[in-house]
Amino acid sequence: MNLRFEKKHYDVIVVGGGMAGLCAAIAAARQGVHTALIQARPVLGGNASSEIRIHISGADQSLKQPDYAEGGLLYELMLENKKNNEQFSYSVWDMVLFEKAKEEKDLEVFFNTVMYDCETKDDRIVSIYCVQETTEMRYQLYAPVFVDATGNGTLGYYAGAEYRKGSEPQSEFGELHAPKKPNNYRMGNSILLKARDMGHPVEFTPPSFAKKLTEEQLAKRIHCVQMRDTINCDDSPNPEEYKRTSMTSSACVDYGYWWLELCGDGEDIITEYETIRDDLIAYAYGIWDHIKNNKEGIHEHHAENYALEWVGALPGVRESRRLVGDYMLSETDILEHKIFEDAVCYGGWCVDLHAPHGLLDFNLLPSDCNFYDGVYTIPYRSYYSKNIKNLYMAGRDISTTRLGLASTRIIGCCAIGGEAVGIAAALCNKYACDPRELAPHVKELQQLILKEDGFLPGFKNEDEKDLALKAKITASSWEQGGEPEKVANGISRKLGEEQNGWVTKPGECLIMKWDETKEIREIRLTFESNFAYPIRVTMAPLRQAQQRNGVPEELVKDVKIELYREGKKTGEAFVKDNYQRLCSVGIGDVPADEIRVIPESTNGAEQAVIHEIRVYAK
């Protein structure tokens, strides 16, 4: 038999191309290590892709605390999409992710490629076995470090990694909302649907397999605008906050429904995936039949002119396995807003645990959200396997309790955690060590995360190579609270009333000076983008209405940089038509003891705000 087969070697291999895996792979490649990304699907993004279309939520809790919105690579991707995708097209979003991955010279992406087994030795993964279904190619791929971003923890499972599923008892971690006894409850899988107003009445005949639903069965699940005023949310710990976060997207008849969720009946939700998928599709058409054709309910759906445009065929998964690391993040850590010394990520979404049987718990709200203010951090120790020496985790399979997962599973948190893991994997290559052995270098990891516009509560820029931290900083003008020296205070975003940046008018000049000449190689600028306005791609009309057209007007668009040595100009650089928060400007090793930064224009705002300026020498 002549099988197509190839062996390949990499520095880092990431399995799973959802947002966590994509961010991990790009982050590793940008650190200069040869990286492979194995993706079983034809597009990137996982739950956030055009195949599933779940919009990206995060620590801002749907604009409740916008200062904590995720930055870094995730925000870069969303800004790229915002520039090119006013129509909220998921196909364009797919293109943005595809382009960003393909731009990385040190990243090779294997689409339509399934990892089906691995080779292990001495508690290490030696290689993985994959098949690319479109080409019939089989691969054996080797690396010293692997990242499991499969969601289900599949690579860890194949390798024999310790894992958990279901709920821990309250006695184990002291979690406030944990059950007295362990159980195998799990949050379920969901599909979404989208309809379009045709401008004239459209009839709908349900398929024979549709599962019928009544208004009484859907009384706890919002599926039209009128229900916002009538639905009983008294069993929520915070009914008004529940309505704000959980009911905004679904208060319509043309998009939904995250609560269309099934959990299966057996011990392992993974093995029931296909059965659950079939049932979800049947219920999706049953829900649409109810919206279109039910005339006896208490709510007028006003869907006469609507026709189905899209129904998901690939369910999004919330929960399955959680791989165990050296630390398991718990609900207690979340509610206490724990700041870990080895923090590499943060979260801020509520402890969002869904009804045990999903849609079929008709008498329960679909989600039991326990809300809080502020954020928490996630330690580095939660991102690598306890017993497989060279395995990282990224996404919803990281080391948490079930109640910890109820918050960390949100896509924004998964993505920035993935970026942190990608940088960590690159550092393992630098120091020729396994993940656990990287612990002495965790401060270096934290500083690299911050350098890439990441945010870590309780930490700030202390990069010894950043010349801006040692510069004398002045400016031609500034506004109260936005003094120029704040571009080097170590925090690259607005937090509450603190601007953490230079606030001025376009055309003004910020000056940095040093006592001796440096050969300036790179200047990194972080601009204000106004996190109070979301920029995510979404199908939800009410979430789309929260956004502005185009890229954020607050972003500085054009910048002039001048370099001087003993008062004489030695070089200059320009940024034109910028639409990103983080802008890296290559200078080319120009000798200087002074630089001048002049924001010449914004994308529409009257103020120009620069949160951080970093300067690096040869």
Side-chain angles (χ1 to χ4, degrees):
M1 184 179 293
N2 184 21
L3 293 177
R4 300 177 178 92
F5 179 78
E6 186 176 359
K7 293 184 178 183
K8 304 190 78 167
H9 294 261
Y10 298 90
D11 297 321
V12 175
I13 294 176
V14 180
V15 183
M19 294 307 299
L22 174 63
C23 289
I26 291 178
R30 288 183 176 179
Q31 294 297 316
V33 297
H34 190 33
T35 305
L37 175 59
I38 313 305
Q39 168 64 332
R41 308 301 304 175
V43 294
L44 297 164
N47 281 348
S49 75
S50 64
E51 292 191 301
I52 301 175
R53 307 191 188 188
I54 296 172
H55 54 225
I56 296 171
S57 297
D60 69 334
Q61 291 190 29
S62 295
L63 301 182
K64 177 183 176 182
Q65 44 186 30
D67 290 349
Y68 294 123
E70 289 80 3
L73 178 53
L74 174 64
Y75 201 74
E76 174 190 333
L77 295 170
M78 293 197 295
L79 280 172
E80 192 71 42
N81 178 72
K82 191 65 176 169
K83 175 180 178 291
N84 295 287
N85 193 6
E86 282 301 308
Q87 66 275 32
F88 296 97
S89 164
Y90 268 88
S91 292
V92 174
W93 170 242
D94 287 344
M95 177 275 296
V96 168
L97 303 185
F98 178 85
E99 180 181 40
K100 282 292 184 179
K102 286 293 188 178
E103 283 176 350
E104 298 300 326
K105 62 181 178 60
D106 286 315
L107 175 60
E108 184 174 0
V109 184
F110 293 80
F111 288 100
N112 300 302
T113 301
V114 175
M115 182 274 304
Y116 62 87
D117 204 353
C118 67
E119 175 189 4
T120 60
K121 183 178 180 181
D122 299 329
D123 297 325
R124 301 175 59 83
I125 300 171
V126 177
S127 66
I128 59 173
Y129 296 95
C130 304
V131 59
Q132 190 171 56
E133 295 177 334
T134 51
T135 62
E136 300 176 351
M137 276 297 299
R138 294 176 183 267
Y139 296 98
Q140 186 174 10
L141 307 178
Y142 296 81
V145 178
F146 291 83
V147 179
D148 187 331
T150 62
N152 286 338
T154 306
L155 176 55
Y157 177 69
Y158 289 165
E162 186 177 333
Y163 70 90
R164 291 197 178 194
K165 56 183 182 177
S167 298
E168 289 79 10
Q170 194 174 69
S171 59
E172 185 171 6
F173 292 93
E175 295 172 303
L176 180 62
H177 299 101
K180 297 296 183 184
K181 296 182 179 180
N183 61 52
N184 195 31
Y185 288 164
R186 63 283 185 113
M187 289 177 279
N189 306 344
S190 289
I191 60 172
L192 299 176
L193 56 88
K194 186 76 174 74
R196 181 156 55 103
D197 188 345
M198 303 297 290
H200 58 81
V202 179
E203 293 185 356
F204 175 72
T205 301
S208 60
F209 59 77
K211 292 180 180 288
K212 303 285 186 175
L213 289 161
T214 67
E215 194 73 20
E216 182 180 6
Q217 290 172 318
L218 293 175
K220 289 284 192 177
R221 283 152 179 80
I222 187 167
H223 54 280
C224 64
V225 175
Q226 291 78 9
M227 290 187 72
R228 293 201 69 169
D229 298 324
T230 62
I231 193 168
N232 184 350
C233 298
D234 290 346
D235 44 338
S236 169
N238 188 331
E240 290 307 310
E241 187 64 10
Y242 178 84
K243 288 182 179 181
R244 189 190 70 83
T245 58
S246 300
M247 292 170 51
T248 299
S249 296
S250 295
C252 54
V253 296
D254 57 344
Y255 163 77
Y257 292 99
W258 63 264
W259 46 256
L260 173 50
E261 173 183 2
L262 295 175
C263 309
D265 301 317
E267 287 296 309
D268 189 348
I269 193 172
I270 296 172
T271 62
E272 294 186 83
Y273 185 89
E274 294 297 326
T275 301
I276 291 172
R277 192 279 307 270
D278 292 351
D279 288 340
L280 282 169
I281 291 174
Y283 275 115
Y285 283 97
I287 289 168
W288 186 245
D289 177 45
H290 172 81
I291 290 172
K292 286 287 291 183
N293 298 323
N294 179 54
K295 307 299 183 185
E296 299 177 359
I298 61 173
H299 299 110
E300 291 287 339
H301 296 129
H302 301 293
E304 294 82 2
N305 291 359
Y306 284 87
L308 271 182
E309 185 175 63
W310 176 83
V311 177
L314 186 72
V317 181
R318 293 181 175 86
E319 178 181 2
S320 50
R321 296 188 193 95
R322 307 183 306 278
L323 302 182
V324 177
D326 279 352
Y327 190 89
M328 291 181 64
L329 186 83
S330 70
E331 182 197 34
T332 304
D333 298 324
I334 292 170
L335 298 182
E336 291 180 354
H337 309 291
K338 188 74 69 70
I339 303 297
F340 292 94
E341 187 176 344
D342 62 339
V344 294
C345 186
Y346 73 99
W349 189 254
C350 57
V351 180
D352 183 4
L353 207 60
H354 288 204
H357 304 99
L359 174 66
L360 304 182
D361 280 326
F362 298 122
N363 62 327
L364 299 177
L365 287 172
S367 176
D368 183 15
C369 297
N370 291 287
F371 299 97
Y372 57 88
D373 295 325
V375 292
Y376 58 89
T377 63
I378 307 174
Y380 174 67
R381 289 162 291 160
S382 291
Y383 285 97
Y384 61 83
S385 171
K386 180 178 181 179
N387 65 310
I388 301 299
K389 296 176 182 177
N390 61 338
L391 179 63
Y392 278 110
M393 301 89 77
R396 61 181 175 84
D397 63 358
I398 68 170
S399 181
T400 70
T401 65
R402 183 169 187 251
L403 282 166
L405 169 77
S407 176
T408 64
R409 65 181 175 82
I410 212 75
I411 298 175
C413 185
C414 290
I416 61 173
E419 182 175 7
V421 164
I423 297 171
L427 288 177
C428 285
N429 182 266
K430 174 182 176 180
Y431 291 108
C433 69
D434 290 334
R436 182 179 286 112
E437 297 166 348
L438 189 69
H441 305 285
V442 73
K443 184 175 181 179
E444 180 180 357
L445 171 58
Q446 292 166 334
Q447 290 301 310
L448 286 171
I449 292 168
L450 296 175
K451 184 178 180 181
E452 298 300 331
D453 190 34
F455 175 64
L456 292 173
F459 296 83
K460 64 180 182 177
N461 173 22
E462 297 176 344
D463 186 350
E464 296 177 355
K465 296 180 180 179
D466 180 9
L467 300 178
L469 298 179
K470 305 165 188 173
K472 179 182 178 181
I473 303 173
T474 59
S476 59
S477 175
W478 63 87
E479 298 192 7
Q480 184 68 32
E483 293 78 9
E485 60 268 21
K486 289 184 178 179
V487 300
N489 76 353
I491 302 173
S492 61
R493 62 171 61 198
K494 176 180 175 293
L495 291 174
E497 297 301 315
E498 179 52 66
Q499 292 290 337
N500 291 316
W502 177 42
V503 182
T504 188
K505 299 286 186 182
E508 301 295 336
C509 179
L510 181 143
I511 302 169
M512 284 188 175
K513 289 186 177 182
W514 296 271
D515 293 334
E516 56 185 29
T517 298
K518 312 289 184 181
E519 291 190 41
I520 307 301
R521 174 167 290 181
E522 180 191 21
I523 297 174
R524 298 169 74 91
L525 308 164
T526 303
F527 304 120
E528 169 64 17
S529 61
N530 197 343
F531 289 139
Y533 289 94
I535 60 170
R536 60 189 175 182
V537 63
T538 176
M539 292 195 300
L542 294 176
R543 295 298 185 193
Q544 291 176 358
Q546 294 172 333
Q547 301 193 24
R548 300 177 291 183
N549 291 331
V551 300
E553 63 181 31
E554 292 82 4
L555 285 168
V556 172
K557 183 178 182 181
D558 300 309
V559 181
K560 182 179 182 180
I561 298 173
E562 298 176 337
L563 297 94
Y564 292 83
R565 182 182 183 184
E566 297 178 352
K568 296 181 179 180
K569 184 184 287 189
T570 55
E572 62 183 10
F574 298 89
V575 175
K576 295 293 184 183
D577 299 320
N578 173 66
Y579 54 88
Q580 287 289 348
R581 250 181 68 87
L582 175 61
C583 181
S584 174
V585 184
I587 302 299
D589 300 339
V590 175
D593 56 19
E594 175 185 334
I595 66 167
R596 300 178 185 178
V597 178
I598 305 153
E600 296 183 319
S601 66
T602 68
N603 279 278
E606 294 183 0
Q607 288 183 332
V609 182
I610 302 179
H611 286 296
E612 184 171 72
I613 300 176
R614 293 181 179 227
V615 182
Y616 293 92
K618 179 179 177 181

